[in-house]
Amino acid sequence: MEAGLVQKLDHKLPVSNEYLLLSGGVREGVVDMDPDELGDYARGTDYDADFTLLVPALKLHDRNQPVTLDMRHSAPCHSWLSLRLFDEGTLAKWKDCCTETQAADDAGGEGGSYYFSPTKVADWFFRSVAAVIAEVRRHPQRGMPGVAAVEKNGAVVSVILSVGRSRLLYDIVPVVSFKGWPAVAQNWLTENHFWDGKITEEEVISGFYLVPACSGLGDRHNEWRLAFSRSEVQLKKCISVPLIQAYQAYKAVITKLLSRPRAISPYHLRSLMLWACDRLPSSFLGQASNTAHFLLGLLDDLAHCLVNKACPNYFLPQCNMFEQLSDGAALLLACRLSSVRSDPAGHLRSAVEHAKAAGRLSQELRRATPSPDSPSSSSTRSEAGHRQQNDDSLARKLQQLVTENQGKSISVFLNPDDVSKPHFRIDDKFF
């Protein structure tokens, strides 16, 4: 519960905060982050299960809160965030995480402005998390998971927790949280979509985020990327099981093969799946007998994007996520993709064998972990065994919570005065 302790450290984070927990780490494409900054972690070798936690540094859920998204300096799907119209308390709290401009043409038309800096926010957040973890390690408490590692990968803080004999990887991302829907994406709502009639528009446009990532030519110290993670959680409810199965196979094959150069991320693959949902009839997508066709179709869609160096963002089609892809990289990746397309079954078998090997390695590492039966007093063994049983149960419950609620919005609420007692909200139900 490091996020709650971070709030107590310097009181920058909102006292009443809402964290979005997503199944899968950032390397799985659950958030659109730059793949070349995320570090190398392997399931089985480094962790057993992975999650992404979005932690709002600023929570702009009040409709009366003036917000200045300044997109004049940014590529589509990106923005600067001015704090000029915020109250003095907020500005004083975050001034050390801002860049200051002296130009008179800032939003509002007069004077300079303070812009919320993604790099400064990410640096502050990592320092704060590291300080909290150091304190936790100095004064361990019963029931708290052990911290095996904490690293900064670009703007992401990656923490590996030891819970019993399970290793849980949390990619923690500081974000700016908004209610409602950005004006720049209003046109998307006027189009026909696969989710029409299945979920309400209110569910889809419940909120969005700014994540600390910039465009290829953007100012990394000022530019944030718009992210629609809440919407994607809702849309996943409407995707057919056969297509999800094809997508998982597609991702397993493509992610490893096209990992160098790091130009394609699983988020790009997910976007192509959403476009396919809009393009193809739901009756066709719901047929299990078409799963193999779906896999081939997703491969062909990616090939088309590489050849044309065009991969539009699903929510903001004017944003080409392949805009900065060089001709050489596109050609290299397209050639590799053609080898997959010529023998998809062979590449899929190879990916499955790789996953099995990772599973075996994970089991071997667990067996190599010292057990509570090592020489000690019987009372110590009993306590260690009880704690391990409880920790393993916690790990299973957390994994089960996320797995059984695919497509649902899972939020974690923490009371900073008692971080040992979190509670979860799944859609509108509390646990």
PDB file of all heavy atoms in Angstrom, residues 63-76:
ATOM      1  N   ARG A  63     -16.419  19.444 -11.612  1.00  0.00           N
ATOM      2  CA  ARG A  63     -16.786  20.126 -12.850  1.00  0.00           C
ATOM      3  C   ARG A  63     -16.529  21.630 -12.788  1.00  0.00           C
ATOM      4  O   ARG A  63     -16.426  22.289 -13.836  1.00  0.00           O
ATOM      5  CB  ARG A  63     -18.263  19.855 -13.175  1.00  0.00           C
ATOM      6  CG  ARG A  63     -18.552  18.397 -13.505  1.00  0.00           C
ATOM      7  CD  ARG A  63     -19.973  18.215 -13.975  1.00  0.00           C
ATOM      8  NE  ARG A  63     -20.263  16.824 -14.279  1.00  0.00           N
ATOM      9  CZ  ARG A  63     -19.989  16.253 -15.445  1.00  0.00           C
ATOM     10  NH1 ARG A  63     -19.415  16.961 -16.400  1.00  0.00           N
ATOM     11  NH2 ARG A  63     -20.292  14.983 -15.658  1.00  0.00           N
ATOM     12  N   ASN A  64     -16.425  22.180 -11.595  1.00  0.00           N
ATOM     13  CA  ASN A  64     -16.152  23.611 -11.458  1.00  0.00           C
ATOM     14  C   ASN A  64     -14.661  23.924 -11.455  1.00  0.00           C
ATOM     15  O   ASN A  64     -14.270  25.091 -11.404  1.00  0.00           O
ATOM     16  CB  ASN A  64     -16.785  24.141 -10.166  1.00  0.00           C
ATOM     17  CG  ASN A  64     -18.301  24.029 -10.180  1.00  0.00           C
ATOM     18  OD1 ASN A  64     -18.932  24.269 -11.221  1.00  0.00           O
ATOM     19  ND2 ASN A  64     -18.882  23.655  -9.043  1.00  0.00           N
ATOM     20  N   GLN A  65     -13.838  22.878 -11.501  1.00  0.00           N
ATOM     21  CA  GLN A  65     -12.389  23.066 -11.489  1.00  0.00           C
ATOM     22  C   GLN A  65     -11.919  23.539 -12.868  1.00  0.00           C
ATOM     23  O   GLN A  65     -12.098  22.844 -13.868  1.00  0.00           O
ATOM     24  CB  GLN A  65     -11.687  21.756 -11.142  1.00  0.00           C
ATOM     25  CG  GLN A  65     -10.170  21.768 -11.346  1.00  0.00           C
ATOM     26  CD  GLN A  65      -9.467  22.687 -10.374  1.00  0.00           C
ATOM     27  OE1 GLN A  65      -9.607  22.540  -9.177  1.00  0.00           O
ATOM     28  NE2 GLN A  65      -8.720  23.643 -10.899  1.00  0.00           N
ATOM     29  N   PRO A  66     -11.339  24.736 -12.971  1.00  0.00           N
ATOM     30  CA  PRO A  66     -10.845  25.189 -14.275  1.00  0.00           C
ATOM     31  C   PRO A  66      -9.632  24.374 -14.710  1.00  0.00           C
ATOM     32  O   PRO A  66      -8.700  24.165 -13.932  1.00  0.00           O
ATOM     33  CB  PRO A  66     -10.465  26.660 -14.025  1.00  0.00           C
ATOM     34  CG  PRO A  66     -10.182  26.730 -12.557  1.00  0.00           C
ATOM     35  CD  PRO A  66     -11.087  25.723 -11.904  1.00  0.00           C
ATOM     36  N   VAL A  67      -9.662  23.881 -15.922  1.00  0.00           N
ATOM     37  CA  VAL A  67      -8.578  23.046 -16.438  1.00  0.00           C
ATOM     38  C   VAL A  67      -8.110  23.621 -17.767  1.00  0.00           C
ATOM     39  O   VAL A  67      -8.933  23.971 -18.620  1.00  0.00           O
ATOM     40  CB  VAL A  67      -9.034  21.586 -16.628  1.00  0.00           C
ATOM     41  CG1 VAL A  67      -7.917  20.760 -17.250  1.00  0.00           C
ATOM     42  CG2 VAL A  67      -9.453  20.988 -15.294  1.00  0.00           C
ATOM     43  N   THR A  68      -6.809  23.718 -17.912  1.00  0.00           N
ATOM     44  CA  THR A  68      -6.270  24.230 -19.156  1.00  0.00           C
ATOM     45  C   THR A  68      -5.410  23.162 -19.815  1.00  0.00           C
ATOM     46  O   THR A  68      -4.247  22.968 -19.454  1.00  0.00           O
ATOM     47  CB  THR A  68      -5.416  25.500 -18.913  1.00  0.00           C
ATOM     48  OG1 THR A  68      -6.214  26.461 -18.218  1.00  0.00           O
ATOM     49  CG2 THR A  68      -4.973  26.093 -20.232  1.00  0.00           C
ATOM     50  N   LEU A  69      -6.017  22.424 -20.763  1.00  0.00           N
ATOM     51  CA  LEU A  69      -5.248  21.502 -21.597  1.00  0.00           C
ATOM     52  C   LEU A  69      -4.748  22.294 -22.796  1.00  0.00           C
ATOM     53  O   LEU A  69      -5.531  22.748 -23.629  1.00  0.00           O
ATOM     54  CB  LEU A  69      -6.131  20.332 -22.053  1.00  0.00           C
ATOM     55  CG  LEU A  69      -6.526  19.299 -20.999  1.00  0.00           C
ATOM     56  CD1 LEU A  69      -7.383  18.213 -21.620  1.00  0.00           C
ATOM     57  CD2 LEU A  69      -5.298  18.687 -20.346  1.00  0.00           C
ATOM     58  N   ASP A  70      -3.459  22.485 -22.855  1.00  0.00           N
ATOM     59  CA  ASP A  70      -2.855  23.289 -23.918  1.00  0.00           C
ATOM     60  C   ASP A  70      -2.259  22.360 -24.969  1.00  0.00           C
ATOM     61  O   ASP A  70      -1.194  21.777 -24.771  1.00  0.00           O
ATOM     62  CB  ASP A  70      -1.783  24.203 -23.315  1.00  0.00           C
ATOM     63  CG  ASP A  70      -1.233  25.199 -24.320  1.00  0.00           C
ATOM     64  OD1 ASP A  70      -1.529  25.049 -25.521  1.00  0.00           O
ATOM     65  OD2 ASP A  70      -0.522  26.128 -23.906  1.00  0.00           O
ATOM     66  N   MET A  71      -2.978  22.210 -26.088  1.00  0.00           N
ATOM     67  CA  MET A  71      -2.553  21.288 -27.139  1.00  0.00           C
ATOM     68  C   MET A  71      -1.866  21.995 -28.310  1.00  0.00           C
ATOM     69  O   MET A  71      -1.576  21.360 -29.328  1.00  0.00           O
ATOM     70  CB  MET A  71      -3.765  20.496 -27.647  1.00  0.00           C
ATOM     71  CG  MET A  71      -4.429  19.666 -26.570  1.00  0.00           C
ATOM     72  SD  MET A  71      -5.789  18.658 -27.186  1.00  0.00           S
ATOM     73  CE  MET A  71      -6.250  17.773 -25.689  1.00  0.00           C
ATOM     74  N   ARG A  72      -1.584  23.286 -28.141  1.00  0.00           N
ATOM     75  CA  ARG A  72      -0.979  24.033 -29.253  1.00  0.00           C
ATOM     76  C   ARG A  72       0.422  23.563 -29.574  1.00  0.00           C
ATOM     77  O   ARG A  72       0.873  23.679 -30.716  1.00  0.00           O
ATOM     78  CB  ARG A  72      -0.943  25.528 -28.906  1.00  0.00           C
ATOM     79  CG  ARG A  72      -2.320  26.169 -28.724  1.00  0.00           C
ATOM     80  CD  ARG A  72      -2.169  27.574 -28.182  1.00  0.00           C
ATOM     81  NE  ARG A  72      -1.455  27.586 -26.915  1.00  0.00           N
ATOM     82  CZ  ARG A  72      -0.834  28.661 -26.427  1.00  0.00           C
ATOM     83  NH1 ARG A  72      -0.828  29.787 -27.103  1.00  0.00           N
ATOM     84  NH2 ARG A  72      -0.227  28.592 -25.251  1.00  0.00           N
ATOM     85  N   HIS A  73       1.134  23.045 -28.595  1.00  0.00           N
ATOM     86  CA  HIS A  73       2.536  22.665 -28.788  1.00  0.00           C
ATOM     87  C   HIS A  73       2.707  21.171 -29.044  1.00  0.00           C
ATOM     88  O   HIS A  73       3.841  20.697 -29.137  1.00  0.00           O
ATOM     89  CB  HIS A  73       3.355  23.043 -27.547  1.00  0.00           C
ATOM     90  CG  HIS A  73       3.107  24.419 -27.031  1.00  0.00           C
ATOM     91  ND1 HIS A  73       3.596  25.551 -27.642  1.00  0.00           N
ATOM     92  CD2 HIS A  73       2.397  24.862 -25.961  1.00  0.00           C
ATOM     93  CE1 HIS A  73       3.214  26.618 -26.971  1.00  0.00           C
ATOM     94  NE2 HIS A  73       2.477  26.228 -25.935  1.00  0.00           N
ATOM     95  N   SER A  74       1.593  20.421 -29.129  1.00  0.00           N
ATOM     96  CA  SER A  74       1.681  18.960 -29.073  1.00  0.00           C
ATOM     97  C   SER A  74       1.128  18.289 -30.318  1.00  0.00           C
ATOM     98  O   SER A  74       0.301  18.852 -31.051  1.00  0.00           O
ATOM     99  CB  SER A  74       0.914  18.433 -27.851  1.00  0.00           C
ATOM    100  OG  SER A  74       1.414  18.998 -26.665  1.00  0.00           O
ATOM    101  N   ALA A  75       1.568  17.065 -30.513  1.00  0.00           N
ATOM    102  CA  ALA A  75       0.999  16.203 -31.541  1.00  0.00           C
ATOM    103  C   ALA A  75      -0.379  15.735 -31.083  1.00  0.00           C
ATOM    104  O   ALA A  75      -0.705  15.825 -29.894  1.00  0.00           O
ATOM    105  CB  ALA A  75       1.915  15.002 -31.777  1.00  0.00           C
ATOM    106  N   PRO A  76      -1.220  15.231 -32.007  1.00  0.00           N
ATOM    107  CA  PRO A  76      -2.530  14.716 -31.596  1.00  0.00           C
ATOM    108  C   PRO A  76      -2.399  13.669 -30.490  1.00  0.00           C
ATOM    109  O   PRO A  76      -1.436  12.903 -30.468  1.00  0.00           O
ATOM    110  CB  PRO A  76      -3.089  14.102 -32.883  1.00  0.00           C
ATOM    111  CG  PRO A  76      -2.433  14.876 -33.976  1.00  0.00           C
ATOM    112  CD  PRO A  76      -1.048  15.178 -33.470  1.00  0.00           C
TER     113      PRO A  76
END
